Amino acid sequence: MIKKELSFVDFDSYGEEIERTITVRFLYSLRAIKLYEQRTGRNFFDDNQKAIQSYTIAVAQAGFGNKKELTEEEQLQLLPLLMNSDFLTFLMDAIPCLYGEVSNGKFEQNEITMETADFSLWIGELISIQFYTELILELNRSRLKVPQDRKKPQQKS
């Protein structure tokens, strides 16, 4: 599970700017994959593979090799990657699906949590090279726990 503390600017009831900090959680799970495929009509694993290929090519072209962690300067050099449609589309579609909330002591990922992430003030903070590298590590770490089903998503009739 990825757990991040994010700060963002919000407005109070008087219209004054206030800085809020919250903890958000992301989990690579079968439920998250199903939410992604339901939401997009595309296969999670195919889209993930396209994003990984884009990332790998950008990292290789920048000469960073197989580094697991990139410095802030190296991430800045990879900023053009955020203009790659395969990479950006996967990141934008995956974040709300992987997001979950703890309710009554249970971690939940569903259409409501997905919508909450979509309309949150903090989602823009995660559209970054750093978060994607964390996401790759989470996907690899949980690979054995989550079925790697490569079937095409079923369209609703």
Side-chain angles (χ1 to χ4, degrees), residues 7-11 16-21 121-122 125:
S7 296
F8 57 94
V9 174
D10 196 0
F11 296 93
E16 299 292 321
E17 283 187 9
I18 54 173
E19 187 169 317
R20 294 195 192 275
T21 301
L121 295 174
W122 49 258
E125 298 292 318

Side-chain angles (χ1 to χ4, degrees), residues 52 55-56 58-78 129-130 132-134 136-137 140:
I52 288 172
Y55 178 82
T56 304
V59 167
Q61 287 175 344
F64 300 145
N66 291 335
K67 292 177 112 179
K68 288 193 178 191
E69 250 186 70
L70 300 172
T71 66
E72 206 169 298
E73 186 178 306
E74 291 168 336
Q75 290 176 48
L76 284 174
Q77 290 178 34
L78 292 176
I129 305 302
Q130 175 59 35
Y132 184 73
T133 57
E134 291 176 46
I136 290 173
L137 293 173
N140 286 335

Side-chain angles (χ1 to χ4, degrees), residues 24-124:
V24 292
R25 294 167 180 80
F26 302 88
L27 181 67
Y28 176 50
S29 66
L30 185 55
R31 180 69 182 137
I33 293 168
K34 288 181 181 200
L35 284 169
Y36 182 91
E37 293 181 348
Q38 170 189 328
R39 172 190 183 126
T40 65
R42 299 184 314 266
N43 184 278
F44 176 89
F45 300 103
D46 291 345
D47 286 1
N48 181 39
Q49 192 57 42
K50 289 176 191 174
I52 288 172
Q53 285 173 341
S54 299
Y55 178 82
T56 304
I57 290 168
V59 167
Q61 287 175 344
F64 300 145
N66 291 335
K67 292 177 112 179
K68 288 193 178 191
E69 250 186 70
L70 300 172
T71 66
E72 206 169 298
E73 186 178 306
E74 291 168 336
Q75 290 176 48
L76 284 174
Q77 290 178 34
L78 292 176
L79 217 47
L81 181 59
L82 291 176
M83 301 307 245
N84 177 290
S85 65
D86 288 333
F87 182 83
L88 186 59
T89 298
F90 177 74
L91 194 56
M92 292 290 296
D93 288 341
I95 289 172
C97 299
L98 295 165
Y99 172 71
E101 297 175 350
V102 177
S103 176
N104 296 323
K106 183 180 172 203
F107 186 78
E108 293 183 8
Q109 287 173 309
N110 54 40
E111 290 83 4
I112 295 169
T113 60
M114 189 171 61
E115 198 171 292
T116 298
D118 272 335
F119 296 109
S120 70
L121 295 174
W122 49 258
I123 195 165

